[in-house]
Amino acid sequence: MSNKKNSKSKKTNPVVLFFSQNEQKIFKISCYCAFVSAILFTIFSISFHADISLLAFPISLAITVASIYFGFFKMIKNNSAKPANVFLRLAQYLPYVFLLSFILRRAGKTETYKWFDALSVLIWLVVFISSLVISHYMNPKKFIPLTKDWAVPYVKTEKGKGLRFVVIEILEWIDALVQAVFFVFLLQIFFFQLYVIPSESMVGEFLVGDKVIVTKFNCGPKFPLTDIGFPDFTDYKRGDVVVLRNPKYTIDRKSEIQSVTSHLLYMLSFSGLQLNRDEDGNMKYDPLVKRICGEEGEQLVMLDGTLYARTKDNQEFTAQKIDSKYALWDIKSILPNLKPGQSVRTEIMYLPYQKMLDLEEARRNLNLDEVQKEIEQMLSQIKKNSTFEDSAFVVPEYNSYGIYRTIDLIASDVLTTKDGFNWFEKFATSWCASKKQTRDMYAEANYRLNVMFKYDMTKIFYEYSKLIAKGYFFSDVIGHPDIVSVQADFENLNNYILQNDQRNMPVFPACKENGEPDYIPENCYFMMGDNRFNSEDLRHGKGYKLVNITSSDPSSIMYYSNMDPVYINKKLIEGKPICKFWPLNRAAKVRNR
């Protein structure tokens, strides 16, 4: 019986020995690949510029020397598994330290060549793969049989007891956390990212604090501070939700270095450090989550909350139904669907939604000829009802909000001074000469808002003049019911103008000087937030400026506008949200086209 057992054992030994030797070869080849690629990467980390890039070489050199010393000279050369634990940690940290070195090397003042970045990335990938293979074979279950024929085979050591146990346990936890941070950092660069919604611009789809999963691998992720990475093979269309870089901030080498460094420190400090701030020290809203509303080859315009688009093949502006499917204008309409604790700020409209719709309807139906006739008749009556003096008159600024706030003072000047009435007579009718001009839908709408503003002012002054003609003192007619009712319409109109930039958008890209349409270039897109009244998106610039509401009136009223629409190249798109996962009662797939 013993002879039979021995014979069976002899038959299986060669097979076991073959696999053991084969695994040893794979393990050693992986180590050699790691050593050689580490040396090459260290050489590629050399910098001759007196800036932060000088740090890349000593950091790479330190871990490379340590890895070769413990891995080759102490372990492989002597067939000794005694330094295995030290080498394993070094091998595991090798790609992470090299990634840090990679960033530092490119964080200097001088850019590196693209071919240089490409070779560095290839070498880093060899290091990363070698590290994974080494970690796989140095797992105790594999490493113990793999080294059984070594001079000093691997023996799993106990942690001990008491203080030694506590210290080892703490170090292992720190090691696990740090490796996890770097691993998650890699995942967030190339594959997936967890994103917390910071604002209410996408209410309807997201609430503030919603946590979403964003895919990145199909959107062309790149190695930090380089153009080297995966190709972008995503098909972007109107209706898709994307994460994009904020074009309001300067996107250059310096800002990219700040962004990458801030993100890495944010993760290493476990959310304790947030350094990604603008020049004023405020937290950057970067990146953004928005919905694609305009595609390459299109020219856009938005009027009364409806987005229109045209192309070279179809020159007529056509309403985009898919945009209307996601655009949210009346935020109160979704409040009944919100769960307890999911608060949404509702004070985002200066004007109740229905009154806004009524005002837009009145603007569309405005008969310019009749309005001109009525204004001229009221001006004639105001002149009859007023007693003019030769007092000094100061022409007010044409700021719509300023006029609204000081309408009583302006009325007093217009009704009591000759120069004041003469000014207003010209101001109220300065639009008449251009009423037959041809304008695009946005320009025509703004032209009519200008006319309505002057029409309402004339009606207010007319009501003032009628009361004064009846013997009222001017101070007594302020707040009179006949005045208040007319001023209410004037207030609604002024409030609409205040949010004109949220409700409407001019033709974009603007037509060329000869009137020929211009279009969004290839690989470029235009984005807006779903919550249109509360979204600082690609429609708006960083600051406000006082602008004429229409160019067709030499005495146009003015309002503070931040309208400055831009499109972005798809290389600034960082990913696509695919699902909301927190809070659990809102977990759902993100609505796309």
Side-chain angles (χ1 to χ4, degrees), residues 307-446:
L307 183 71
Y308 299 83
R310 69 177 176 181
T311 64
K312 291 180 179 179
D313 297 329
N314 182 6
Q315 290 291 304
E316 292 295 323
F317 278 111
T318 306
Q320 302 302 304
K321 294 182 179 180
I322 191 169
D323 184 75
S324 300
K325 175 182 176 182
Y326 300 112
L328 177 65
W329 295 103
D330 185 11
I331 195 170
K332 291 184 178 180
S333 65
I334 71 162
L335 291 179
N337 300 323
L338 298 180
K339 305 295 182 182
Q342 295 175 337
S343 60
V344 176
R345 190 172 74 241
T346 58
E347 307 81 37
I348 58 173
M349 288 192 294
Y350 301 112
L351 184 64
Y353 189 61
Q354 187 55 52
K355 287 187 176 181
M356 177 181 297
L357 297 180
D358 294 341
L359 190 149
E360 290 171 345
E361 182 68 18
R363 185 207 68 223
R364 289 190 290 269
N365 296 330
L366 192 69
N367 187 310
L368 296 177
D369 291 329
E370 290 183 4
V371 170
Q372 179 181 355
K373 184 178 179 181
E374 285 188 43
I375 288 178
E376 290 172 348
Q377 289 174 347
M378 286 189 288
L379 286 171
S380 177
Q381 193 63 45
I382 290 171
K383 191 173 184 179
K384 291 179 181 179
N385 293 340
S386 303
T387 302
F388 300 123
E389 301 176 357
D390 291 328
S391 302
F393 169 73
V394 179
V395 175
E397 189 179 46
Y398 290 175
N399 178 3
S400 64
Y401 184 68
I403 291 175
Y404 161 71
R405 291 293 301 272
T406 59
I407 189 68
D408 294 326
L409 295 176
I410 297 174
S412 175
D413 287 341
V414 168
L415 298 177
T416 60
T417 67
K418 187 175 182 180
D419 288 345
F421 177 81
N422 290 338
W423 162 79
F424 182 70
E425 186 175 35
K426 293 179 181 178
F427 174 77
T429 58
S430 58
W431 57 272
C432 298
S434 56
K435 66 181 180 181
K436 300 298 184 182
Q437 284 183 3
T438 300
R439 288 170 283 266
D440 63 66
M441 64 173 73
Y442 173 85
E444 179 65 23
N446 277 9

Side-chain angles (χ1 to χ4, degrees), residues 67 86-95 127 131 134-135 138:
S67 299
V86 177
F87 175 65
L88 174 61
R89 294 294 180 269
L90 289 168
Q92 289 173 337
Y93 277 98
L94 203 59
V127 172
S131 173
I134 290 170
S135 299
M138 292 191 74

Side-chain angles (χ1 to χ4, degrees), residues 134-159:
I134 290 170
S135 299
H136 170 73
Y137 279 106
M138 292 191 74
N139 182 291
K141 290 183 179 180
K142 278 192 166 291
F143 203 53
I144 289 174
L146 188 144
T147 62
K148 67 178 181 178
D149 295 329
W150 284 18
V152 181
Y154 180 76
V155 178
K156 189 175 180 180
T157 57
E158 299 294 330
K159 296 180 182 179

Side-chain angles (χ1 to χ4, degrees), residues 263-320:
H263 186 55
L264 182 58
L265 290 176
Y266 180 76
M267 296 188 66
L268 287 173
S269 64
F270 301 103
S271 306
L273 286 175
Q274 176 56 275
L275 303 180
N276 199 22
R277 300 178 181 274
D278 60 21
E279 57 271 16
D280 298 322
N282 300 317
M283 198 73 67
K284 280 187 176 181
Y285 287 98
D286 186 30
L288 301 172
V289 176
K290 304 296 177 186
R291 196 180 296 276
I292 292 178
C293 300
E295 302 176 28
E296 56 186 0
E298 291 183 336
Q299 188 178 47
L300 310 171
V301 66
M302 188 163 68
L303 184 63
D304 299 344
T306 299
L307 183 71
Y308 299 83
R310 69 177 176 181
T311 64
K312 291 180 179 179
D313 297 329
N314 182 6
Q315 290 291 304
E316 292 295 323
F317 278 111
T318 306
Q320 302 302 304

